[in-house]
């Protein structure tokens, strides 16, 4: 290889290092500023942003730079082999979450617990559990305070006492993880691979059903049903014309035994409250909600977990707003129970209304100032997404706005609507967009949904009779797309 051939990687390496160094200094300065502010004025208010825009941008640059450096300095075979085995670390995290390891360590304090003690509490053989813990510790989840003795660190600590966030990790480790086994077979199947039908995905093959994820999740099953168990992995998906697989309640069992909600439903609903941990507040601060005035905000498909976080926080910051939470009947029934226990005054004082509504029907709230859709569009293919937006458009006034809180994906080459990373980093900040791509593939295998680029959003929004006013970048994985009637 000539000197000319090697000069480009060397120059690139130094450029990336310079970007990394600058970004790290920005983060350090922000931390010092916050530390000084807190020491003089006490802790920041809960409603204040804990990460500034400067720090958020610098963090993305650090992640992108680290990913770029790794691709440059690692021998390609080593890089690819490591990537191909990354599923083992995900599974280790799922195991730790399932056995409440972080809570066990929290009760032990800074001294931690020996693997033998953890083994007695979890039922996992000591030496195998120690290997799982050391794998996670090597990825900076937990810390090893003495040989074979582990404690929480600042990363694993967020799992302690947070049932919704732990549930979110567990749902990924159960159905989503298993569905990924069936994705290759679905993609290579001519009938299923070309479809965007939510009932023709890897999920159906994984659990043995013909129902969509959401219909399956809210299916009634016999009271004695222990819950879903993974089907054996296979290279090809089941025949679309095959009889209903085992695990779906039979007509005989339905008639002879009490029917109850599917066991997985409670975990799934709880996990929805944990999906925005660490970033939820920014969707309240990075959009000018004051411009809504004392109007009505309709949370379309708000469920229960998402409503408790986003709507109640929004209402606590802007108490003059009226909130309407809409979802299907079974979700609203659960929402009434949860809100009645946790925030009864919000319901009694009329600050929050819980309304049964199918978002494929015309929205019953006409002329609301805001129709809010958080993590909704990515669940659906383009045709269904257009239908959802069209039914809202039918109820809008000229003053109404649709706010879509969803991932807005940049390409690695960049686009005009989103600021690109500084060169020579990938325009979409590379590794910093890792979550977006993981969510995109998850939506593919679970519901045939997708994350979208600005151009893809513009197409479905325009087809529904709306136009994008602005894409509001937020300090988190989601952006807010503001839309009005054309």
């Amino acid at each position: 290889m000539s000197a000319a051939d090697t000069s480009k990687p060397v120059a690139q390496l130094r450029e990336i290092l310079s970007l990394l160094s600058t970004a790290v200094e920005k983060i350090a300065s922000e931390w010092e500023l916050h530390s000084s502010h807190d020491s003089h004025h006490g802790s920041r208010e809960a409603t204040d942003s804990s990460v500034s825009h400067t720090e958020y941008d610098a963090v993305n640059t650090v992640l992108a730079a680290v990913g770029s450096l790794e691709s440059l300095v690692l021998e390609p075979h080593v890089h690819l082999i490591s990537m191909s085995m990354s599923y083992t670390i995900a599974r280790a995290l799922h195991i730790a979450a399932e056995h409440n390891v972080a809570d066990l360590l929290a009760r032990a304090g800074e001294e931690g617990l020996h693997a033998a003690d953890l083994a007695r509490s979890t039922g996992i053989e000591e030496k195998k559990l120690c290997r799982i813990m050391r794998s996670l510790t090597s990825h900076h989840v937990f810390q090893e305070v003495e040989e074979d003795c582990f404690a929480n660190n600042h990363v694993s600590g967020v799992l302690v006492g947070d049932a919704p966030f732990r549930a979110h990790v567990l749902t990924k480790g159960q159905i989503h993880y298993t569905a990924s086994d069936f994705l290759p077979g679905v993609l290579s199947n001519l009938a299923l691979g070309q479809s965007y039908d939510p009932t023709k995905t890897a999920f159906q093959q994984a659990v043995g059903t013909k129902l969509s994820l959401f219909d399956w999740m809210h299916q009634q099953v016999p009271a004695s049903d222990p819950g879903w168990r993974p089907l054996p992995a296979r290279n090809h998906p089941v025949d679309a014309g095959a009889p209903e697989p085992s695990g779906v309640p039979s007509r005989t069992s339905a008639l002879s035994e009490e029917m109850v909600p599917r066991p997985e439903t409670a975990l799934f609903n709880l996990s929805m409250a944990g999906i925005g941990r660490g970033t939820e507040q920014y969707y309240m601060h990075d959009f000018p909600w004051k411009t809504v005035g004392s109007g009505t905000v309709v949370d379309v498909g708000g469920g229960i977990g998402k409503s408790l976080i986003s709507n109640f926080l929004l209402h606590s910051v802007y108490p003059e707003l009226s909130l309407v939470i809409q979802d299907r009947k079974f979700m609203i029934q659960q929402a009434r129970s949860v809100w009645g226990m946790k925030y009864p005054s919000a319901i009694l004082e009329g600050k929050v209304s819980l309304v049964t509504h199918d978002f494929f029907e015309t929205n019953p709230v006409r002329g609301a100032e805001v129709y809010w859709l958080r993590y909704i569009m990515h669940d659906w293919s383009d045709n269904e997404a257009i239908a959802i937006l069209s039914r809202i458009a039918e109820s809008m006034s000229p003053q109404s706005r649709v706010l879509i809180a969803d991932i807005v994906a940049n390409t690695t080459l960049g686009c005009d609507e989103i600021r690109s990373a500084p060169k020579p980093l990938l325009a979409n900040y590379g590794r910093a967009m890792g979550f977006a791509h993981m969510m995109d593939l998850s939506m593919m295998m679970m519901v045939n949904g997708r994350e979208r680029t600005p151009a893809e959003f513009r197409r479905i929004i325009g087809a529904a009779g709306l136009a994008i006013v602005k894409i509001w970048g937020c300090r988190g994985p989601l952006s807010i797309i503001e839309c009005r009637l054309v």
Side-chain angles (χ1 to χ4, degrees):
M1 182 178 288
S2 67
D5 292 329
T6 61
S7 63
K8 184 176 180 181
V10 169
Q12 198 173 30
L13 193 68
R14 287 176 172 147
E15 281 185 273
I16 294 169
L17 178 60
S18 176
L19 289 171
L20 177 61
S21 178
T22 300
V24 167
E25 283 302 317
K26 286 182 180 179
I27 294 171
S29 296
E30 288 291 306
W31 287 4
E32 290 170 345
L33 178 64
H34 292 164
S35 176
S36 173
H37 181 274
D38 292 345
S39 64
H40 286 88
H41 303 286
S43 298
R44 284 171 286 173
E45 296 294 326
T47 55
D48 285 344
S49 302
S50 58
V51 175
S52 69
H53 288 280
T54 297
E55 182 178 344
Y56 179 74
D57 291 342
V59 167
N60 282 339
T61 299
V62 167
L63 292 175
V66 168
S68 294
L69 287 173
E70 184 179 58
S71 73
L72 286 174
V73 302
L74 267 183
E75 197 280 329
H77 297 86
V78 175
H79 184 44
L80 292 177
I81 286 294
S82 178
M83 184 183 295
S84 74
M85 297 185 66
S86 61
Y87 65 89
T88 58
I89 302 304
R91 183 52 88 199
L93 177 61
H94 302 153
I95 292 168
E98 182 179 7
H99 291 277
N100 280 308
V101 169
D103 288 273
L104 293 171
L105 295 179
R107 289 195 283 272
E110 294 181 0
E111 294 183 359
L113 282 177
H114 192 276
D117 298 315
L118 279 176
R120 281 190 286 272
S121 297
T122 62
I124 301 175
E125 194 274 331
E126 177 187 342
K127 291 182 175 60
K128 292 181 179 179
L129 179 59
C130 189
R131 288 153 63 188
I132 289 171
M133 292 298 296
R134 191 164 286 123
S135 296
L136 289 170
T137 300
S138 296
H139 284 77
H140 307 284
V141 181
F142 305 112
Q143 60 179 320
E144 191 168 9
V145 291
E146 293 181 11
E147 187 170 344
D148 298 347
C149 185
F150 300 91
N152 282 318
N153 65 357
H154 73 286
V155 177
S156 63
V158 303
L159 289 164
V160 177
D162 192 338
F165 184 66
R166 178 173 160 270
H168 189 63
V169 173
L170 287 176
T171 58
K172 302 305 180 188
Q174 292 180 0
I175 302 170
H176 289 70
Y177 194 98
T178 302
S180 68
D181 282 346
F182 292 82
L183 183 59
V186 167
L187 292 176
S188 62
N189 180 281
L190 290 178
L192 300 180
Q194 299 296 316
S195 176
Y196 281 87
D197 187 327
T199 67
K200 292 181 171 61
T201 72
F203 162 75
Q204 280 78 31
Q205 315 308 318
V207 305
T209 185
K210 294 180 180 178
L211 300 174
S212 70
L213 169 66
F214 299 116
D215 288 339
W216 180 87
M217 191 63 69
H218 298 101
Q219 184 184 30
Q220 296 283 306
V221 298
S224 61
D225 191 327
W228 161 80
R229 292 294 181 270
L231 295 177
R234 61 186 94 188
N235 291 328
H236 302 287
V238 296
D239 184 355
E244 195 74 10
S246 61
V248 177
S250 67
R251 184 177 180 84
T252 302
S253 66
L255 293 174
S256 62
E257 189 175 347
E258 178 191 4
M259 303 298 286
V260 297
R262 179 175 287 284
E264 297 82 7
T265 303
L267 182 67
F268 178 82
N269 289 341
L270 183 63
S271 76
M272 290 299 97
I275 194 172
R277 286 289 193 265
T279 59
E280 190 77 23
Q281 60 177 315
Y282 302 129
Y283 312 131
M284 303 302 108
H285 293 287
D286 291 345
F287 177 80
W289 287 98
K290 287 183 178 180
T291 63
V292 182
S294 58
T296 297
V297 177
V298 181
D299 188 352
V300 182
I304 38 180
K306 292 182 288 186
S307 300
L308 287 173
I309 297 173
S310 62
N311 277 340
F312 199 77
L313 177 59
L314 175 61
H315 187 79
S316 68
V317 178
Y318 302 105
E320 65 275 14
L321 293 175
S322 172
L323 305 174
V324 179
I325 300 164
Q326 298 176 335
D327 215 305
R328 296 165 71 179
K329 183 178 180 180
F330 50 79
M331 293 298 292
I332 292 300
Q333 288 174 339
Q334 295 177 59
R336 289 195 179 104
S337 174
V338 174
W339 279 83
M341 288 188 295
K342 293 200 171 187
Y343 304 106
S345 62
I347 302 296
L348 292 174
E349 296 172 10
K351 296 177 180 178
V352 177
S353 301
L354 305 173
V355 178
T356 298
H357 172 59
D358 181 343
F359 51 46
F360 286 107
E361 303 292 335
T362 300
N363 201 290
V365 182
R366 296 188 172 273
E369 280 69 24
V370 169
Y371 296 88
W372 170 254
L373 296 97
R374 175 181 171 275
Y375 275 126
I376 300 294
M377 291 293 98
H378 79 159
D379 286 335
W380 303 95
S381 64
D382 287 355
N383 289 340
E384 286 79 10
I386 291 168
I388 294 168
L389 292 172
S390 296
R391 300 296 79 78
I392 294 174
E394 292 169 354
S395 297
M396 291 173 65
S397 72
Q399 288 72 43
S400 298
R401 286 179 274 188
V402 172
L403 299 182
I404 300 171
D406 229 325
I407 290 172
V408 179
N410 200 350
T411 72
T412 56
L413 298 177
C415 61
D416 293 338
E417 294 89 344
I418 302 175
R419 186 181 61 185
S420 293
K423 293 181 179 181
L425 304 177
L426 294 174
N428 69 343
Y429 283 89
R431 182 175 289 183
M433 284 294 290
F435 175 77
H437 294 298
M438 287 184 276
M439 284 292 286
D440 186 38
L441 297 182
S442 180
M443 293 301 101
M444 179 196 299
M445 68 190 186
M446 300 302 291
V447 291
N448 258 330
R450 64 185 303 171
E451 308 301 344
R452 294 176 171 88
T453 65
E456 290 165 338
F457 268 115
R458 193 181 303 110
R459 192 185 78 77
I460 63 170
I461 289 167
L466 301 168
I468 295 177
V469 176
K470 182 175 179 178
I471 298 176
W472 298 84
C474 299
R475 287 161 287 176
L478 306 188
S479 297
I480 296 177
I481 307 171
E482 181 181 356
C483 312
R484 289 186 185 266
L485 291 170
V486 174

